[in-house]
Amino acid sequence: MTFALALEQLLNGLQLGVMLFLMAAGLTLIFGVMGLINLAHGSLYMVGAFACATVAAWTGSFWLGLFASLACAAAAGAIVELLVIRRLYDRDHLDQVLATFALILIFSEGTRWMFGSFPLYLDIPPLLQGAVPLPGGTQYPLYRLAIIAAGALVAFALYLLISRTRLGIRIRAGESDREMIGALGVDIRTLYTVVFALGAALAGFAGAMVGALQSVQVGMGEPVLILAFVVIVIGGIGSIKGALLGALLVGVVDTMGRFLLPKLFVLFVPPSQAGMIGGALASMLIYIVMALILAVKPRGLFPPAHA
């Protein structure tokens, strides 16, 4: 194992972590402000990917597709909140889980009806094609570095939004005391719609960015959703800071575990068995890390102050 190869895998872990942050930030905002468990968040990730792939195919522009992913995912989120989610705020979490699981099926079958079962493919824009030299003589794709940079910019923008704007003040107040901000004259229904649309837009943006690395297909959001829930549990439900650090931790641990564990087991068992054992253990590694963190900090690494 060379330093350059290890650095490449570390960057892959950071890129995965950034994508998980974009998913988890929306999830944690929605749960923190609304108290809603939204299993359909992965479907909004899929909506963004399909919107980007479709518009990019029509226009030949990845950047127009990226804008479309934000707009379509935000619009889909706002419509879902107005028609379905708004009726679930006073219901228990089981009703929320059942209703949002039904939304997964609706989105999946609706997407399959519109686009068919075959995957779509999204080309990396010419501006971001190519590779960047790494220490050690290897090269790393420029597009993956752009994803890391875009995630860092989104994290900084979210920080400014939450800490420096009037909307951010209302979001933080909504996390602390929903009834009080309603009594002070804030339109809580509109706030909920805006927060849900914002979370949906972040998920759609993540789907569009990842769509250029893998195929765009029905059901692509569900595996990412599971990891996003792990992220917000590790980081602290309702905490953007926790979502960022939890996502980076999960991304790096998952990627490096899949890279290093098979090599480690080669020292003890035959290579064929080492790959199987290492791969199986690597798939469980993030859940083991989550359990260890929760054993020490039951509310996550950075629980909100009001938790």
Side-chain angles (χ1 to χ4, degrees), residues 207-246:
M209 295 294 284
V210 171
L213 296 177
Q214 61 186 40
S215 60
V216 176
Q217 56 189 333
V218 175
M220 64 184 290
E222 278 65 66
V224 184
L225 178 69
I226 295 172
L227 293 178
F229 273 115
V230 172
V231 166
I232 64 173
V233 169
I234 287 176
I237 297 175
S239 169
I240 295 295
K241 177 182 177 182
L244 176 59
L245 295 179

PDB file of all heavy atoms in Angstrom, residues 207-246:
ATOM      1  N   GLY A 207     -28.075  14.563  -5.223  1.00  0.00           N
ATOM      2  CA  GLY A 207     -28.396  13.572  -6.245  1.00  0.00           C
ATOM      3  C   GLY A 207     -27.848  13.950  -7.604  1.00  0.00           C
ATOM      4  O   GLY A 207     -27.330  13.099  -8.344  1.00  0.00           O
ATOM      5  N   ALA A 208     -27.938  15.243  -7.950  1.00  0.00           N
ATOM      6  CA  ALA A 208     -27.425  15.698  -9.238  1.00  0.00           C
ATOM      7  C   ALA A 208     -25.909  15.547  -9.317  1.00  0.00           C
ATOM      8  O   ALA A 208     -25.368  15.118 -10.344  1.00  0.00           O
ATOM      9  CB  ALA A 208     -27.824  17.156  -9.462  1.00  0.00           C
ATOM     10  N   MET A 209     -25.205  15.911  -8.241  1.00  0.00           N
ATOM     11  CA  MET A 209     -23.744  15.823  -8.251  1.00  0.00           C
ATOM     12  C   MET A 209     -23.280  14.369  -8.353  1.00  0.00           C
ATOM     13  O   MET A 209     -22.330  14.052  -9.081  1.00  0.00           O
ATOM     14  CB  MET A 209     -23.179  16.474  -6.995  1.00  0.00           C
ATOM     15  CG  MET A 209     -23.423  17.975  -6.898  1.00  0.00           C
ATOM     16  SD  MET A 209     -22.565  18.941  -8.147  1.00  0.00           S
ATOM     17  CE  MET A 209     -20.891  18.932  -7.520  1.00  0.00           C
ATOM     18  N   VAL A 210     -23.943  13.483  -7.631  1.00  0.00           N
ATOM     19  CA  VAL A 210     -23.556  12.073  -7.659  1.00  0.00           C
ATOM     20  C   VAL A 210     -23.974  11.415  -8.969  1.00  0.00           C
ATOM     21  O   VAL A 210     -23.353  10.451  -9.421  1.00  0.00           O
ATOM     22  CB  VAL A 210     -24.163  11.330  -6.451  1.00  0.00           C
ATOM     23  CG1 VAL A 210     -23.968   9.827  -6.564  1.00  0.00           C
ATOM     24  CG2 VAL A 210     -23.528  11.821  -5.164  1.00  0.00           C
ATOM     25  N   GLY A 211     -25.026  11.963  -9.610  1.00  0.00           N
ATOM     26  CA  GLY A 211     -25.511  11.372 -10.850  1.00  0.00           C
ATOM     27  C   GLY A 211     -24.470  11.310 -11.948  1.00  0.00           C
ATOM     28  O   GLY A 211     -24.540  10.455 -12.840  1.00  0.00           O
ATOM     29  N   ALA A 212     -23.488  12.209 -11.915  1.00  0.00           N
ATOM     30  CA  ALA A 212     -22.422  12.183 -12.917  1.00  0.00           C
ATOM     31  C   ALA A 212     -21.363  11.128 -12.612  1.00  0.00           C
ATOM     32  O   ALA A 212     -20.511  10.843 -13.470  1.00  0.00           O
ATOM     33  CB  ALA A 212     -21.766  13.565 -13.009  1.00  0.00           C
ATOM     34  N   LEU A 213     -21.391  10.553 -11.412  1.00  0.00           N
ATOM     35  CA  LEU A 213     -20.430   9.515 -11.030  1.00  0.00           C
ATOM     36  C   LEU A 213     -21.003   8.112 -11.177  1.00  0.00           C
ATOM     37  O   LEU A 213     -20.257   7.141 -11.292  1.00  0.00           O
ATOM     38  CB  LEU A 213     -19.983   9.714  -9.577  1.00  0.00           C
ATOM     39  CG  LEU A 213     -19.223  11.003  -9.261  1.00  0.00           C
ATOM     40  CD1 LEU A 213     -18.928  11.087  -7.769  1.00  0.00           C
ATOM     41  CD2 LEU A 213     -17.925  11.080 -10.070  1.00  0.00           C
ATOM     42  N   GLN A 214     -22.322   8.007 -11.129  1.00  0.00           N
ATOM     43  CA  GLN A 214     -22.961   6.705 -11.242  1.00  0.00           C
ATOM     44  C   GLN A 214     -24.233   6.885 -12.064  1.00  0.00           C
ATOM     45  O   GLN A 214     -24.587   7.988 -12.426  1.00  0.00           O
ATOM     46  CB  GLN A 214     -23.295   6.142  -9.855  1.00  0.00           C
ATOM     47  CG  GLN A 214     -24.253   7.021  -9.053  1.00  0.00           C
ATOM     48  CD  GLN A 214     -24.444   6.523  -7.635  1.00  0.00           C
ATOM     49  OE1 GLN A 214     -23.496   6.088  -6.990  1.00  0.00           O
ATOM     50  NE2 GLN A 214     -25.667   6.588  -7.150  1.00  0.00           N
ATOM     51  N   SER A 215     -24.900   5.804 -12.367  1.00  0.00           N
ATOM     52  CA  SER A 215     -26.123   5.906 -13.162  1.00  0.00           C
ATOM     53  C   SER A 215     -27.246   6.517 -12.338  1.00  0.00           C
ATOM     54  O   SER A 215     -27.290   6.394 -11.117  1.00  0.00           O
ATOM     55  CB  SER A 215     -26.533   4.522 -13.674  1.00  0.00           C
ATOM     56  OG  SER A 215     -26.759   3.644 -12.583  1.00  0.00           O
ATOM     57  N   VAL A 216     -28.166   7.188 -13.021  1.00  0.00           N
ATOM     58  CA  VAL A 216     -29.343   7.776 -12.400  1.00  0.00           C
ATOM     59  C   VAL A 216     -30.474   6.785 -12.590  1.00  0.00           C
ATOM     60  O   VAL A 216     -30.901   6.523 -13.719  1.00  0.00           O
ATOM     61  CB  VAL A 216     -29.684   9.136 -13.046  1.00  0.00           C
ATOM     62  CG1 VAL A 216     -30.966   9.702 -12.463  1.00  0.00           C
ATOM     63  CG2 VAL A 216     -28.532  10.114 -12.860  1.00  0.00           C
ATOM     64  N   GLN A 217     -30.993   6.217 -11.484  1.00  0.00           N
ATOM     65  CA  GLN A 217     -31.977   5.164 -11.614  1.00  0.00           C
ATOM     66  C   GLN A 217     -32.968   5.201 -10.458  1.00  0.00           C
ATOM     67  O   GLN A 217     -32.725   5.825  -9.418  1.00  0.00           O
ATOM     68  CB  GLN A 217     -31.296   3.809 -11.665  1.00  0.00           C
ATOM     69  CG  GLN A 217     -30.387   3.513 -10.489  1.00  0.00           C
ATOM     70  CD  GLN A 217     -29.571   2.257 -10.690  1.00  0.00           C
ATOM     71  OE1 GLN A 217     -29.985   1.354 -11.403  1.00  0.00           O
ATOM     72  NE2 GLN A 217     -28.393   2.203 -10.080  1.00  0.00           N
ATOM     73  N   VAL A 218     -34.079   4.529 -10.677  1.00  0.00           N
ATOM     74  CA  VAL A 218     -35.120   4.460  -9.658  1.00  0.00           C
ATOM     75  C   VAL A 218     -34.578   3.747  -8.426  1.00  0.00           C
ATOM     76  O   VAL A 218     -33.913   2.720  -8.516  1.00  0.00           O
ATOM     77  CB  VAL A 218     -36.357   3.703 -10.213  1.00  0.00           C
ATOM     78  CG1 VAL A 218     -37.399   3.516  -9.115  1.00  0.00           C
ATOM     79  CG2 VAL A 218     -36.958   4.451 -11.392  1.00  0.00           C
ATOM     80  N   GLY A 219     -34.863   4.311  -7.238  1.00  0.00           N
ATOM     81  CA  GLY A 219     -34.432   3.700  -5.985  1.00  0.00           C
ATOM     82  C   GLY A 219     -33.038   4.067  -5.552  1.00  0.00           C
ATOM     83  O   GLY A 219     -32.550   3.554  -4.532  1.00  0.00           O
ATOM     84  N   MET A 220     -32.374   4.975  -6.279  1.00  0.00           N
ATOM     85  CA  MET A 220     -30.991   5.305  -5.946  1.00  0.00           C
ATOM     86  C   MET A 220     -30.858   6.040  -4.622  1.00  0.00           C
ATOM     87  O   MET A 220     -29.773   6.091  -4.045  1.00  0.00           O
ATOM     88  CB  MET A 220     -30.385   6.163  -7.061  1.00  0.00           C
ATOM     89  CG  MET A 220     -31.037   7.511  -7.244  1.00  0.00           C
ATOM     90  SD  MET A 220     -30.378   8.461  -8.633  1.00  0.00           S
ATOM     91  CE  MET A 220     -28.748   8.900  -8.047  1.00  0.00           C
ATOM     92  N   GLY A 221     -31.948   6.615  -4.103  1.00  0.00           N
ATOM     93  CA  GLY A 221     -31.863   7.401  -2.875  1.00  0.00           C
ATOM     94  C   GLY A 221     -31.945   6.599  -1.593  1.00  0.00           C
ATOM     95  O   GLY A 221     -31.500   7.085  -0.539  1.00  0.00           O
ATOM     96  N   GLU A 222     -32.488   5.380  -1.643  1.00  0.00           N
ATOM     97  CA  GLU A 222     -32.713   4.643  -0.400  1.00  0.00           C
ATOM     98  C   GLU A 222     -31.425   4.211   0.311  1.00  0.00           C
ATOM     99  O   GLU A 222     -31.312   4.360   1.535  1.00  0.00           O
ATOM    100  CB  GLU A 222     -33.609   3.421  -0.671  1.00  0.00           C
ATOM    101  CG  GLU A 222     -35.084   3.731  -0.716  1.00  0.00           C
ATOM    102  CD  GLU A 222     -35.483   4.642  -1.863  1.00  0.00           C
ATOM    103  OE1 GLU A 222     -35.356   4.209  -3.018  1.00  0.00           O
ATOM    104  OE2 GLU A 222     -35.887   5.796  -1.608  1.00  0.00           O
ATOM    105  N   PRO A 223     -30.420   3.670  -0.399  1.00  0.00           N
ATOM    106  CA  PRO A 223     -29.175   3.330   0.301  1.00  0.00           C
ATOM    107  C   PRO A 223     -28.504   4.549   0.946  1.00  0.00           C
ATOM    108  O   PRO A 223     -27.946   4.452   2.049  1.00  0.00           O
ATOM    109  CB  PRO A 223     -28.292   2.731  -0.798  1.00  0.00           C
ATOM    110  CG  PRO A 223     -29.243   2.272  -1.849  1.00  0.00           C
ATOM    111  CD  PRO A 223     -30.366   3.257  -1.813  1.00  0.00           C
ATOM    112  N   VAL A 224     -28.555   5.691   0.258  1.00  0.00           N
ATOM    113  CA  VAL A 224     -27.954   6.905   0.810  1.00  0.00           C
ATOM    114  C   VAL A 224     -28.744   7.386   2.022  1.00  0.00           C
ATOM    115  O   VAL A 224     -28.169   7.911   2.984  1.00  0.00           O
ATOM    116  CB  VAL A 224     -27.895   8.005  -0.275  1.00  0.00           C
ATOM    117  CG1 VAL A 224     -27.192   9.243   0.255  1.00  0.00           C
ATOM    118  CG2 VAL A 224     -27.194   7.498  -1.515  1.00  0.00           C
ATOM    119  N   LEU A 225     -30.067   7.205   1.996  1.00  0.00           N
ATOM    120  CA  LEU A 225     -30.906   7.639   3.116  1.00  0.00           C
ATOM    121  C   LEU A 225     -30.522   6.919   4.402  1.00  0.00           C
ATOM    122  O   LEU A 225     -30.472   7.527   5.479  1.00  0.00           O
ATOM    123  CB  LEU A 225     -32.377   7.386   2.791  1.00  0.00           C
ATOM    124  CG  LEU A 225     -33.370   7.752   3.884  1.00  0.00           C
ATOM    125  CD1 LEU A 225     -33.436   9.266   4.064  1.00  0.00           C
ATOM    126  CD2 LEU A 225     -34.757   7.199   3.581  1.00  0.00           C
ATOM    127  N   ILE A 226     -30.242   5.618   4.296  1.00  0.00           N
ATOM    128  CA  ILE A 226     -29.856   4.853   5.487  1.00  0.00           C
ATOM    129  C   ILE A 226     -28.588   5.433   6.100  1.00  0.00           C
ATOM    130  O   ILE A 226     -28.495   5.640   7.325  1.00  0.00           O
ATOM    131  CB  ILE A 226     -29.657   3.370   5.117  1.00  0.00           C
ATOM    132  CG1 ILE A 226     -30.991   2.761   4.679  1.00  0.00           C
ATOM    133  CG2 ILE A 226     -29.088   2.594   6.307  1.00  0.00           C
ATOM    134  CD1 ILE A 226     -30.864   1.364   4.102  1.00  0.00           C
ATOM    135  N   LEU A 227     -27.597   5.730   5.256  1.00  0.00           N
ATOM    136  CA  LEU A 227     -26.360   6.322   5.757  1.00  0.00           C
ATOM    137  C   LEU A 227     -26.606   7.712   6.337  1.00  0.00           C
ATOM    138  O   LEU A 227     -25.982   8.103   7.327  1.00  0.00           O
ATOM    139  CB  LEU A 227     -25.323   6.397   4.640  1.00  0.00           C
ATOM    140  CG  LEU A 227     -24.780   5.065   4.113  1.00  0.00           C
ATOM    141  CD1 LEU A 227     -23.800   5.307   2.979  1.00  0.00           C
ATOM    142  CD2 LEU A 227     -24.104   4.279   5.236  1.00  0.00           C
ATOM    143  N   ALA A 228     -27.525   8.470   5.728  1.00  0.00           N
ATOM    144  CA  ALA A 228     -27.826   9.817   6.232  1.00  0.00           C
ATOM    145  C   ALA A 228     -28.444   9.752   7.624  1.00  0.00           C
ATOM    146  O   ALA A 228     -28.159  10.601   8.487  1.00  0.00           O
ATOM    147  CB  ALA A 228     -28.758  10.545   5.271  1.00  0.00           C
ATOM    148  N   PHE A 229     -29.284   8.759   7.883  1.00  0.00           N
ATOM    149  CA  PHE A 229     -29.845   8.591   9.228  1.00  0.00           C
ATOM    150  C   PHE A 229     -28.747   8.237  10.229  1.00  0.00           C
ATOM    151  O   PHE A 229     -28.768   8.721  11.369  1.00  0.00           O
ATOM    152  CB  PHE A 229     -30.938   7.519   9.228  1.00  0.00           C
ATOM    153  CG  PHE A 229     -32.300   8.039   8.883  1.00  0.00           C
ATOM    154  CD1 PHE A 229     -32.947   7.635   7.732  1.00  0.00           C
ATOM    155  CD2 PHE A 229     -32.947   8.953   9.708  1.00  0.00           C
ATOM    156  CE1 PHE A 229     -34.203   8.118   7.407  1.00  0.00           C
ATOM    157  CE2 PHE A 229     -34.198   9.442   9.398  1.00  0.00           C
ATOM    158  CZ  PHE A 229     -34.841   9.025   8.240  1.00  0.00           C
ATOM    159  N   VAL A 230     -27.799   7.403   9.817  1.00  0.00           N
ATOM    160  CA  VAL A 230     -26.663   7.093  10.690  1.00  0.00           C
ATOM    161  C   VAL A 230     -25.897   8.373  11.023  1.00  0.00           C
ATOM    162  O   VAL A 230     -25.505   8.616  12.169  1.00  0.00           O
ATOM    163  CB  VAL A 230     -25.733   6.059  10.022  1.00  0.00           C
ATOM    164  CG1 VAL A 230     -24.455   5.881  10.840  1.00  0.00           C
ATOM    165  CG2 VAL A 230     -26.445   4.730   9.861  1.00  0.00           C
ATOM    166  N   VAL A 231     -25.721   9.226  10.015  1.00  0.00           N
ATOM    167  CA  VAL A 231     -24.992  10.483  10.201  1.00  0.00           C
ATOM    168  C   VAL A 231     -25.662  11.363  11.245  1.00  0.00           C
ATOM    169  O   VAL A 231     -25.003  11.886  12.152  1.00  0.00           O
ATOM    170  CB  VAL A 231     -24.868  11.235   8.860  1.00  0.00           C
ATOM    171  CG1 VAL A 231     -24.439  12.686   9.083  1.00  0.00           C
ATOM    172  CG2 VAL A 231     -23.870  10.539   7.958  1.00  0.00           C
ATOM    173  N   ILE A 232     -26.981  11.560  11.132  1.00  0.00           N
ATOM    174  CA  ILE A 232     -27.636  12.485  12.058  1.00  0.00           C
ATOM    175  C   ILE A 232     -27.735  11.905  13.470  1.00  0.00           C
ATOM    176  O   ILE A 232     -27.740  12.657  14.447  1.00  0.00           O
ATOM    177  CB  ILE A 232     -29.022  12.946  11.551  1.00  0.00           C
ATOM    178  CG1 ILE A 232     -30.005  11.787  11.454  1.00  0.00           C
ATOM    179  CG2 ILE A 232     -28.894  13.647  10.212  1.00  0.00           C
ATOM    180  CD1 ILE A 232     -31.412  12.235  11.124  1.00  0.00           C
ATOM    181  N   VAL A 233     -27.781  10.579  13.579  1.00  0.00           N
ATOM    182  CA  VAL A 233     -27.762   9.969  14.913  1.00  0.00           C
ATOM    183  C   VAL A 233     -26.395  10.163  15.555  1.00  0.00           C
ATOM    184  O   VAL A 233     -26.282  10.499  16.740  1.00  0.00           O
ATOM    185  CB  VAL A 233     -28.138   8.481  14.827  1.00  0.00           C
ATOM    186  CG1 VAL A 233     -27.861   7.785  16.155  1.00  0.00           C
ATOM    187  CG2 VAL A 233     -29.607   8.320  14.455  1.00  0.00           C
ATOM    188  N   ILE A 234     -25.331   9.967  14.780  1.00  0.00           N
ATOM    189  CA  ILE A 234     -23.977  10.166  15.299  1.00  0.00           C
ATOM    190  C   ILE A 234     -23.747  11.632  15.653  1.00  0.00           C
ATOM    191  O   ILE A 234     -23.203  11.956  16.709  1.00  0.00           O
ATOM    192  CB  ILE A 234     -22.929   9.691  14.268  1.00  0.00           C
ATOM    193  CG1 ILE A 234     -22.916   8.162  14.198  1.00  0.00           C
ATOM    194  CG2 ILE A 234     -21.528  10.210  14.641  1.00  0.00           C
ATOM    195  CD1 ILE A 234     -21.979   7.612  13.136  1.00  0.00           C
ATOM    196  N   GLY A 235     -24.135  12.536  14.761  1.00  0.00           N
ATOM    197  CA  GLY A 235     -23.848  13.953  14.959  1.00  0.00           C
ATOM    198  C   GLY A 235     -24.720  14.633  15.974  1.00  0.00           C
ATOM    199  O   GLY A 235     -24.306  15.615  16.600  1.00  0.00           O
ATOM    200  N   GLY A 236     -25.930  14.135  16.193  1.00  0.00           N
ATOM    201  CA  GLY A 236     -26.887  14.780  17.084  1.00  0.00           C
ATOM    202  C   GLY A 236     -28.061  15.301  16.267  1.00  0.00           C
ATOM    203  O   GLY A 236     -27.888  16.146  15.389  1.00  0.00           O
ATOM    204  N   ILE A 237     -29.245  14.778  16.525  1.00  0.00           N
ATOM    205  CA  ILE A 237     -30.417  15.126  15.719  1.00  0.00           C
ATOM    206  C   ILE A 237     -30.757  16.599  15.897  1.00  0.00           C
ATOM    207  O   ILE A 237     -30.940  17.074  17.009  1.00  0.00           O
ATOM    208  CB  ILE A 237     -31.613  14.236  16.111  1.00  0.00           C
ATOM    209  CG1 ILE A 237     -31.285  12.774  15.792  1.00  0.00           C
ATOM    210  CG2 ILE A 237     -32.869  14.668  15.360  1.00  0.00           C
ATOM    211  CD1 ILE A 237     -32.335  11.787  16.252  1.00  0.00           C
ATOM    212  N   GLY A 238     -30.816  17.318  14.774  1.00  0.00           N
ATOM    213  CA  GLY A 238     -31.121  18.746  14.804  1.00  0.00           C
ATOM    214  C   GLY A 238     -29.902  19.640  14.727  1.00  0.00           C
ATOM    215  O   GLY A 238     -30.034  20.856  14.681  1.00  0.00           O
ATOM    216  N   SER A 239     -28.706  19.072  14.668  1.00  0.00           N
ATOM    217  CA  SER A 239     -27.473  19.853  14.667  1.00  0.00           C
ATOM    218  C   SER A 239     -26.821  19.831  13.291  1.00  0.00           C
ATOM    219  O   SER A 239     -26.453  18.763  12.785  1.00  0.00           O
ATOM    220  CB  SER A 239     -26.489  19.289  15.706  1.00  0.00           C
ATOM    221  OG  SER A 239     -25.204  19.854  15.548  1.00  0.00           O
ATOM    222  N   ILE A 240     -26.671  21.011  12.657  1.00  0.00           N
ATOM    223  CA  ILE A 240     -25.991  21.098  11.369  1.00  0.00           C
ATOM    224  C   ILE A 240     -24.498  20.794  11.541  1.00  0.00           C
ATOM    225  O   ILE A 240     -23.889  20.090  10.730  1.00  0.00           O
ATOM    226  CB  ILE A 240     -26.180  22.495  10.754  1.00  0.00           C
ATOM    227  CG1 ILE A 240     -27.653  22.745  10.431  1.00  0.00           C
ATOM    228  CG2 ILE A 240     -25.337  22.641   9.496  1.00  0.00           C
ATOM    229  CD1 ILE A 240     -28.209  21.840   9.372  1.00  0.00           C
ATOM    230  N   LYS A 241     -23.907  21.317  12.606  1.00  0.00           N
ATOM    231  CA  LYS A 241     -22.491  21.026  12.887  1.00  0.00           C
ATOM    232  C   LYS A 241     -22.288  19.529  13.072  1.00  0.00           C
ATOM    233  O   LYS A 241     -21.336  18.944  12.537  1.00  0.00           O
ATOM    234  CB  LYS A 241     -22.059  21.783  14.138  1.00  0.00           C
ATOM    235  CG  LYS A 241     -20.622  21.510  14.576  1.00  0.00           C
ATOM    236  CD  LYS A 241     -20.302  22.260  15.857  1.00  0.00           C
ATOM    237  CE  LYS A 241     -18.887  21.956  16.355  1.00  0.00           C
ATOM    238  NZ  LYS A 241     -18.591  22.661  17.626  1.00  0.00           N
ATOM    239  N   GLY A 242     -23.187  18.903  13.818  1.00  0.00           N
ATOM    240  CA  GLY A 242     -23.097  17.466  14.022  1.00  0.00           C
ATOM    241  C   GLY A 242     -23.272  16.696  12.727  1.00  0.00           C
ATOM    242  O   GLY A 242     -22.597  15.689  12.496  1.00  0.00           O
ATOM    243  N   ALA A 243     -24.171  17.186  11.848  1.00  0.00           N
ATOM    244  CA  ALA A 243     -24.373  16.525  10.555  1.00  0.00           C
ATOM    245  C   ALA A 243     -23.106  16.581   9.714  1.00  0.00           C
ATOM    246  O   ALA A 243     -22.738  15.599   9.057  1.00  0.00           O
ATOM    247  CB  ALA A 243     -25.538  17.177   9.810  1.00  0.00           C
ATOM    248  N   LEU A 244     -22.421  17.723   9.727  1.00  0.00           N
ATOM    249  CA  LEU A 244     -21.192  17.860   8.936  1.00  0.00           C
ATOM    250  C   LEU A 244     -20.107  16.926   9.450  1.00  0.00           C
ATOM    251  O   LEU A 244     -19.512  16.147   8.679  1.00  0.00           O
ATOM    252  CB  LEU A 244     -20.706  19.308   8.973  1.00  0.00           C
ATOM    253  CG  LEU A 244     -19.374  19.585   8.277  1.00  0.00           C
ATOM    254  CD1 LEU A 244     -19.434  19.200   6.805  1.00  0.00           C
ATOM    255  CD2 LEU A 244     -18.970  21.046   8.447  1.00  0.00           C
ATOM    256  N   LEU A 245     -19.831  16.984  10.746  1.00  0.00           N
ATOM    257  CA  LEU A 245     -18.750  16.154  11.283  1.00  0.00           C
ATOM    258  C   LEU A 245     -19.123  14.675  11.257  1.00  0.00           C
ATOM    259  O   LEU A 245     -18.277  13.811  10.994  1.00  0.00           O
ATOM    260  CB  LEU A 245     -18.427  16.605  12.707  1.00  0.00           C
ATOM    261  CG  LEU A 245     -17.860  18.024  12.806  1.00  0.00           C
ATOM    262  CD1 LEU A 245     -17.578  18.400  14.247  1.00  0.00           C
ATOM    263  CD2 LEU A 245     -16.592  18.171  11.982  1.00  0.00           C
ATOM    264  N   GLY A 246     -20.390  14.354  11.526  1.00  0.00           N
ATOM    265  CA  GLY A 246     -20.839  12.971  11.448  1.00  0.00           C
ATOM    266  C   GLY A 246     -20.730  12.423  10.034  1.00  0.00           C
ATOM    267  O   GLY A 246     -20.331  11.271   9.832  1.00  0.00           O
TER     268      GLY A 246
END
